[in-house]
Amino acid sequence: MTRPEAPVGAGAARSRVPAGAGRELRKRYTAADVSVFTPDEARRFVPRGDGDPQSDVVLAWELLYRLEPELYDRLATAERLHPGVVRWLPRDVDQIAEVGAGTGRLTMELIERGRHVVAVEPALPLRRILRRKLAAAGHGDRARVVHGFFDQLPLPDDSADLVVACSAFTPSPGHGGESGLAEMERVCRPGGQVAIIWPNHLDWLAGRGYRYVSFPGPMSVEFDSRREAVELAEIFYPKAADEVRRRGWRRVPFEVLGINPPRDLAFKVLAG
């Protein structure tokens, strides 16, 4: 994950559509919305018992995952991974564990690379969307979607050939950190790989033995329509919204939006 404001989410859902469809993400929710957190989530995301998403954009993302999961899925669907990232991952392995699976941006690709995939996702609304996608694609027998946090993965030691997180892991304790990385490595078999796709804080990962790979070429966010491009830009890329509207683009280059494209990963092969 290259955007520090887009960590893995968690939580229980309730129906809510904020006023103003194009309202910027950090203005969509209020401090009262943190009541949606379960006790486990509150300990991770509002440890002091309070929080204001209008001043804490990380918290706003957390609320998005549980209050408006379909909106998040529209964004994740448009922000497609560089094909080189998926091709780089090991193929024909037995077990794959994905942490922070979200609505399946990577999960659907992993189905083709392993005989069985366990997708760990804390957010109940995102799990529901992912299960629906897997069932519609006929993959219900090859992927299992489970609840879990980075620091408490519901998986046995040495149980996966590949453990991967995409646009989910950060050094923050609430979204991975030392304990989360240790858990990913605990689950990975000797000789297997842990991979962090679209990482941030590369120096932090390098200091823990992770190497870096990046894939070249222009990349764009591919919205379904020009109208959707404007709508989602107003919410998630407000500084670029005027230019997106002016140019009338459906495919918007990442550099215009001011974020690094999902073209890279950090990885570590565990000692055998």
Side-chain angles (χ1 to χ4, degrees):
M1 186 199 72
T2 46
R3 295 183 302 175
E5 67 272 24
V8 67
R14 62 189 172 106
S15 177
R16 182 182 190 278
V17 179
R23 182 174 293 173
E24 181 182 348
L25 179 63
R26 70 168 66 237
K27 298 177 181 178
R28 293 179 80 80
Y29 315 114
T30 69
D33 288 313
V34 302
S35 64
V36 75
F37 287 122
T38 67
D40 275 349
E41 295 156 1
R43 282 194 293 271
R44 289 170 171 83
F45 306 126
V46 283
R48 294 186 299 275
D50 58 4
D52 183 359
Q54 298 197 5
S55 60
D56 182 351
V57 72
V58 173
L59 186 56
W61 279 93
E62 293 294 345
L63 292 171
L64 169 72
Y65 301 139
R66 57 192 54 80
L67 297 178
E68 299 181 281
E70 299 285 354
L71 175 60
Y72 167 72
D73 185 50
R74 289 167 61 196
L75 175 68
T77 299
E79 291 180 341
R80 301 175 187 177
L81 300 175
H82 192 293
V85 168
V86 177
R87 287 197 297 264
W88 184 93
L89 295 173
R91 194 179 184 88
D92 298 325
V93 298
D94 185 29
Q95 300 285 332
I96 298 175
E98 182 186 7
V99 188
T103 58
R105 184 200 325 245
L106 178 63
T107 316
M108 307 304 287
E109 304 280 0
L110 294 176
I111 294 293
E112 305 302 323
R113 310 197 79 79
R115 282 174 281 282
H116 191 261
V117 176
V118 178
V120 181
E121 170 51 51
L124 175 59
L126 303 189
R127 292 200 305 272
R128 286 172 173 161
I129 293 174
L130 178 52
R131 287 187 180 119
R132 188 167 70 233
K133 288 182 178 181
L134 290 167
H139 295 322
D141 60 336
R142 296 187 57 193
R144 181 164 58 99
V145 182
V146 300
H147 174 266
F149 296 97
F150 268 108
D151 60 349
Q152 289 182 326
L153 296 179
L155 302 170
D157 295 356
D158 305 336
S159 59
D161 304 284
L162 171 66
V163 184
V164 60
C166 177
S167 187
F169 183 90
T170 82
S172 167
H175 307 106
E178 295 284 2
S179 59
L181 200 62
E183 274 287 88
M184 293 179 72
E185 294 183 8
R186 174 187 67 79
V187 169
C188 190
R189 291 172 179 161
Q193 293 186 20
V194 177
I196 309 296
I197 295 175
W198 207 1
N200 64 4
H201 298 280
L202 292 173
D203 290 345
W204 189 91
L205 288 167
R208 287 148 183 83
Y210 281 74
R211 291 183 284 169
Y212 178 68
V213 179
S214 183
F215 300 89
M219 293 186 68
S220 297
V221 181
E222 301 186 18
F223 299 102
D224 283 345
S225 65
R226 295 177 179 178
R227 179 177 179 179
E228 180 174 74
V230 172
E231 178 189 350
L232 295 189
E234 288 175 342
I235 298 169
F236 297 106
Y237 320 106
K239 293 181 180 179
D242 286 344
E243 184 170 1
V244 172
R245 184 183 299 104
R246 178 173 59 82
R247 292 181 178 270
W249 282 329
R250 181 184 71 82
R251 300 179 72 252
V252 183
F254 272 90
E255 56 265 28
V256 171
L257 301 175
I259 60 174
N260 295 325
R263 65 165 78 251
D264 55 352
L265 60 89
F267 73 98
K268 182 178 182 179
V269 178
L270 295 198

